[in-house]
Amino acid sequence: MAHARTAAAAGLALVAAVAVVGCSGGGSHAGSASTRSSVTAGGGGARANPAPTESNPPGDIPDNQVYVPFRPASGFTGFTVKVPEGWARTEKGTTAVFTDKLNTVRITTAAASATPTVGAVTNTVVRQLRTQVPKFAHPKVSEVKRHAGRIVLLTYQGDSVKDPVTGKVVRDAFERYAFFRQGHEVDLTLSGPVNADNVDPWRIVSDSFTWR
């Protein structure tokens, strides 16, 4: 009987030891899973680095931007104007457009019977733009001097067209220069975000306009 009790006790001790080992193993496995989860999460965070800081705020044209002369290949070709090199170019009818990110240079030619004046631009162009530009605001018409002589400048603000990819709309500032000579008018419109500092680039472009 004593031998039987000893054998039974030994069997119970073996079962208990196996149970302890099993529990200990389960705890170790759970700890490993938790550790792997923590490492994975940490790794994901490390991979999701923030985008590198741009050297220029959104919409700012770099100081080292190169400009090249543009002259229409068809229609009225009696002028040249410098545009930023490398910008995407599209032409339709009498309009040429150069774009890069959030900035645009638009050049439109048309026949005209009279020199644009502050009053004419205010009464005609501003009224047209109110119906064409989303949230058109803050129009200001004045005479300014550029290399080509004294011209009429219209500045205003408006919303950009919705980006087809991001769906975002940018608040833009516009500068529209009206050049006129011998029955031909060339409208040069420069636009970019209202918070962009493009005073110098826009001056380079508008001051480069030359009749040929």
Side-chain angles (χ1 to χ4, degrees), residues 70-79 89 91-96 109:
F70 164 75
R71 183 182 181 185
S74 60
F76 178 61
T77 61
F79 70 93
R89 171 179 169 178
E91 291 188 64
K92 184 177 181 180
T94 59
T95 299
T109 63

Side-chain angles (χ1 to χ4, degrees), residues 6-50:
T6 301
L12 289 174
L14 178 60
V15 170
V18 170
V20 170
V21 171
C23 291
S24 175
S28 174
H29 178 72
S32 298
S34 175
T35 302
R36 286 198 301 272
S37 175
S38 175
V39 170
T40 301
R47 287 193 298 271
N49 290 328

Side-chain angles (χ1 to χ4, degrees), residues 45-197:
R47 287 193 298 271
N49 290 328
T53 302
E54 295 185 7
S55 57
N56 297 283
D60 274 19
I61 298 173
D63 293 337
N64 62 352
Q65 174 66 56
V66 177
Y67 300 83
V68 294
F70 164 75
R71 183 182 181 185
S74 60
F76 178 61
T77 61
F79 70 93
T80 60
V81 61
K82 288 183 178 180
V83 297
E85 184 179 43
W87 286 22
R89 171 179 169 178
T90 58
E91 291 188 64
K92 184 177 181 180
T94 59
T95 299
V97 180
F98 300 84
T99 57
D100 180 68
K101 299 182 179 69
L102 302 175
N103 296 300
T104 301
V105 174
R106 181 182 300 272
I107 305 163
T108 301
T109 63
S113 58
T115 303
T117 63
V118 171
V121 171
T122 300
N123 296 327
T124 303
V125 179
V126 171
R127 287 183 180 179
Q128 292 174 348
L129 292 176
R130 285 189 188 280
T131 65
Q132 298 171 353
V133 179
K135 297 184 180 179
F136 178 86
H138 310 305
K140 181 181 178 182
V141 186
S142 61
E143 267 197 10
V144 296
K145 187 174 183 180
R146 289 296 186 266
H147 178 75
R150 295 198 67 81
I151 54 178
V152 177
L153 167 64
L154 164 62
T155 60
Y156 59 95
Q157 291 185 12
D159 281 0
S160 69
V161 176
K162 182 185 293 186
D163 187 288
V165 178
T166 65
K168 292 183 178 180
V169 174
V170 177
R171 189 63 177 169
D172 282 339
F174 296 79
E175 296 182 8
R176 179 186 182 276
Y177 298 85
F179 298 87
F180 175 86
R181 185 184 186 188
Q182 299 176 353
H184 296 282
E185 181 175 336
V186 179
D187 296 324
L188 172 65
T189 303
L190 314 173
S191 62
V194 294
N195 60 338
D197 181 12

